[in-house]
Amino acid sequence: MSLDARTIKILQKLIVSNSYIEAAEIQKEFSISKRTFQYDIEKIDSELKIAGFSGIIKIRSKGFFLLGREKKKINEWLNSFVENTKVFTAMERKIRIFIYLTATPIRVVTEDLIEWNEVSRNTVLQDIKQLKEVLKEFDLEIGFNSKEGKIVLGNEKNIRLFFVFYCLNNEEIIENGDILKLIKNRVSINKDSLFSDISFVKGALFNIEKELQLKYTDEIFERLILIVSFFVERIKQGNYVNNEICEVEDVVEAADRLYQRFMEINSFIYDKAEINFLAKILLGANQIISSSKTEEKFVKCSKQIISDFERLACITFDQQEQLQNDLLLHLMPAYYRIKYQIEVINPSYQEIKKDYNDVFEITANALQAFKKLLDLKIPDSEIAYFSILFGGYLTQKKSILVTKKKVLIICSKGIGTSRMIEQQLRQLFPKQIELLEPMSYREYEENKVEADFIVSTLPLMSSDIPVFIVSPILNDQQKKGLIQRIAPHMLRAESDTSLLTTILETVAQFSIIEDREQLKEKLKLILFQTPIDNQAQTTPSIAELLPETRIQFKDSETNWKTAIETASDPLLKEGFISENYQKAMIKNVEKYGPYIIITPGMALPHAEPEDGAFKLGMSLLILKNSVAFSNKEKDKVKILIVLSSIDKYTHLNSLRQLTELVMKKEFLKKVIGMNSRREVFDLLKE
């Protein structure tokens, strides 16, 4: 076979596509010319026909596709080719070395690694040297004895955590199943002996879900299978963890039953520390469904987090109950992951931090109640998971749609990522779609689906419904591609249909239409696609929202109500808000108390957009003498910043900047001591 990396990717794209793929789409995605594309298609077609398949089908004016009945076999044929011709990367070689030294009972020496990884002695020695450096971070080392050959030495718990950290949480291991393919590829060890109990482990974990009345996310379930299988291989060799304690009784009991199932097929010693360690792993696993009783401390914490996020972001979530349920599904596993130091890397967290920085920073500040509950620092990777969840809820709006297409999201990564995909789809298709409740891949396989099309993070080989594969966070190019692929499947309203028909009839009066359906699809794409709204680029800064003209100084106010009115007067006079908005801000404080005080000495009055916010803006009032919002000392305020927000997202960048300023020492003291608008404005610009 003569397929190279690019033609393999093109063929994979054809395999997972549920419709025609246009030449222009592939040329753009792979940055190749029309001639190169034609050459690649001919090469793929030739190889498929040599292998006994029908090849690539081309339909004029539509594009290219593979016969649906052949796709599964083509995929198997391609996977076999990829495995047999694969050249292992340096990272893959080191992962293979670690697993061969820790999860196999055979004696491994340098010569074996040379043969299995198909590299020179010098390369193997270099790989081992680099692996040793990483192992040092876990207080582990590679040793040698004549009986066992090369072995990994150190604390057993650290060996297992290294497997999770280095082998599974690795950017080169895209899917959990890839790790099995990697270690079983071109090795002289009996392949059935590598993670030999994996099918048994999978069945046992299904039972755990039933016993604990929960369902793990697809990604976590597959990961648990590998983690537990690795533990089993270690215990088979007589390696047990020590001094592990877990206080969550129902999970410990489930872990005990799981461990005893392993004892039935292996000669394990009953070990309480192993059971407790297994329970900790189960506790830290993300879920999509949980019917078990939730501890009050988590319920209380989740309510506080939502309240703090609303206060810091100056918004009110519409679906409070659903948000709290989704938050709890992540909060509890995150608590145990951090508490027991079982690191779970979110591969896309740097991307989230960059593209959704406003949400990330506000989320980090809103998690103070969680930090207090843990009494530990919350890693950025965990904050990113919470950010995904809140980001997904920020743009959920109630709307009446004339024509809706039912869209199902299938996501292997959990509810937070599903909500983030929902949010992006709502941005791209604000009036055209009805989003069904997201499903995991396992739920999709178990249930009948009634949707017009599916948006999935994984390829679906057996769907009769159009499927569009996406990454959790879409860049501009991916958004454009998704719009181009989905737009032909929908019209927004009856008026859209009427407009399209009118244009087609007009064109027909003055020309001959060779392919009416093809012209119709192209017109849909041009007329009805939604412009991309890049939130990260359009959210204004605090300096843009709060000009000098809306900064006021005053000695004192009669009470907090008049203070809010005075502070918001510049916005009222310039047409940013209505009088009703002023009244709503006061009513909110009367109803909920002084929740608008974001830090001692400073308040952030605001109301809902529908209360009379016409434009996005801020105004500032600085008082020489404080005004009291209650009889408590902490509720005395000298600075009021009024926010007029037209939605739940656009103002977040300015609020993030404001939060950063407030957190700096001496900020409030500096502002109160200033005498001119220019001084204050310059400070806000910093």
Side-chain angles (χ1 to χ4, degrees), residues 468-608:
F468 303 95
I469 310 300
V470 300
S471 57
I473 297 178
L474 300 169
N475 58 35
D476 279 356
Q477 185 176 352
Q478 290 168 330
K479 287 178 182 177
K480 287 177 183 176
L482 189 61
I483 288 172
Q484 289 174 347
R485 286 181 288 149
I486 289 181
H489 291 268
M490 61 176 73
L491 291 178
R492 288 186 288 193
E494 291 179 9
S495 58
D496 289 349
T497 307
S498 176
L499 174 62
L500 188 59
T501 302
T502 301
I503 292 173
L504 285 168
E505 289 174 354
T506 304
V507 172
Q509 289 177 21
F510 298 96
S511 62
I512 297 172
I513 302 175
E514 292 184 358
D515 191 332
R516 187 180 178 89
E517 284 303 310
Q518 181 68 9
L519 177 59
K520 183 178 177 181
E521 296 303 312
K522 289 291 184 183
L523 286 172
K524 280 186 193 178
L525 194 59
I526 295 167
L527 293 171
F528 307 129
Q529 69 176 352
T530 306
I532 292 173
D533 175 21
N534 190 327
Q535 292 176 331
Q537 294 179 2
T538 58
T539 51
S541 67
I542 190 170
E544 292 173 297
L545 295 186
L546 184 52
E548 288 183 59
T549 54
R550 293 204 290 270
I551 298 173
Q552 303 177 84
F553 292 89
K554 200 171 180 184
D555 286 342
S556 62
E557 279 292 342
T558 308
N559 55 53
W560 64 265
K561 293 181 182 180
T562 61
I564 289 177
E565 289 172 348
T566 301
S568 58
D569 274 343
L571 291 172
L572 180 65
K573 290 173 182 176
E574 294 182 34
F576 280 75
I577 61 172
S578 66
E579 288 184 2
N580 188 62
Y581 192 87
Q582 284 185 318
K583 292 175 182 176
M585 288 190 288
I586 292 169
K587 283 181 181 177
N588 285 343
V589 177
E590 289 175 335
K591 183 176 180 180
Y592 301 111
Y595 72 99
I596 59 173
I597 299 176
I598 60 173
T599 191
M602 180 175 172
L604 191 63
H606 59 277
E608 293 293 313

Side-chain angles (χ1 to χ4, degrees), residues 168-412:
L168 296 186
N169 294 339
N170 196 297
E171 290 183 359
E172 292 199 23
I173 306 299
I174 299 172
E175 299 291 339
N176 290 311
D178 292 347
I179 202 85
L180 283 178
K181 293 177 185 176
L182 179 64
I183 63 173
K184 291 187 177 186
N185 193 1
R186 299 204 298 281
V187 63
S188 58
I189 305 171
N190 180 1
K191 293 181 181 180
D192 293 334
S193 69
L194 294 168
F195 288 54
S196 58
D197 294 324
I198 198 160
S199 296
F200 186 84
V201 170
K202 184 175 182 178
L205 287 171
F206 269 126
N207 289 331
I208 286 290
E209 286 186 318
K210 293 176 184 176
E211 290 172 19
L212 294 177
Q213 296 181 293
L214 54 79
K215 200 156 195 173
Y216 297 113
T217 68
D218 292 337
E219 184 178 49
I220 288 297
F221 186 77
E222 294 300 321
R223 177 167 291 206
L224 279 176
I225 293 171
L226 291 170
I227 291 171
V228 175
S229 295
F230 182 79
F231 291 1
V232 169
E233 295 301 326
R234 293 296 297 167
I235 298 170
K236 281 182 184 178
Q237 298 174 43
N239 300 300
Y240 292 82
V241 294
N242 297 311
N243 304 319
E244 293 295 326
I245 298 172
C246 181
E247 70 276 11
V248 185
E249 290 183 7
D250 59 333
V251 181
V252 172
E253 289 171 3
D256 192 314
R257 291 190 291 272
L258 178 61
Y259 188 82
Q260 292 196 51
R261 290 189 189 109
F262 298 145
M263 289 177 65
E264 293 171 6
I265 61 169
N266 293 290
S267 55
F268 289 179
I269 299 170
Y270 182 81
D271 190 282
K272 197 65 180 176
E274 281 290 350
I275 292 165
N276 285 330
F277 189 57
L278 192 55
K280 290 179 180 180
I281 297 295
L282 296 175
L283 281 167
N286 279 358
Q287 305 155 19
I288 53 171
I289 298 172
S290 179
S291 303
S292 56
K293 187 178 179 181
T294 305
E295 289 184 62
E296 182 59 32
K297 66 180 180 183
F298 294 123
V299 175
K300 185 178 178 181
C301 183
S302 65
K303 288 180 179 178
Q304 187 62 53
I305 291 169
I306 293 170
S307 174
D308 287 345
F309 191 100
E310 288 181 322
R311 177 174 56 83
L312 292 168
C314 295
I315 55 112
T316 302
F317 289 111
D318 297 323
Q319 298 166 295
Q320 290 272 343
E321 186 176 348
Q322 184 179 350
L323 172 57
Q324 188 181 357
N325 289 337
D326 288 350
L327 181 58
L328 282 168
L329 285 174
H330 180 69
L331 189 70
M332 292 183 290
Y335 174 85
Y336 292 111
R337 280 197 298 271
I338 299 168
K339 180 179 179 180
Y340 295 133
Q341 297 181 321
I342 301 170
E343 186 168 1
V344 176
I345 289 178
N346 179 353
S348 57
Y349 97 82
Q350 292 288 3
E351 196 175 350
I352 293 164
K353 197 172 179 181
K354 177 185 174 185
D355 293 347
Y356 292 86
N357 189 42
D358 307 336
V359 181
F360 184 92
E361 294 297 336
I362 290 173
T363 301
N365 287 305
L367 289 174
Q368 293 306 307
F370 187 44
K371 185 178 179 181
K372 185 177 179 181
L373 180 65
L374 277 164
D375 196 25
L376 292 167
K377 181 184 177 183
I378 304 172
D380 281 358
S381 56
E382 294 290 355
I383 295 172
Y385 274 119
F386 287 105
S387 301
I388 288 173
L389 180 63
F390 282 120
Y393 273 88
L394 277 173
T395 56
Q396 291 193 15
K397 298 178 182 177
K398 297 175 182 176
S399 59
I400 300 172
L401 305 181
V402 179
T403 302
K404 301 176 183 178
K405 291 291 184 180
K406 292 183 179 179
V407 181
L408 173 65
I409 295 171
I410 296 176
C411 180
S412 63

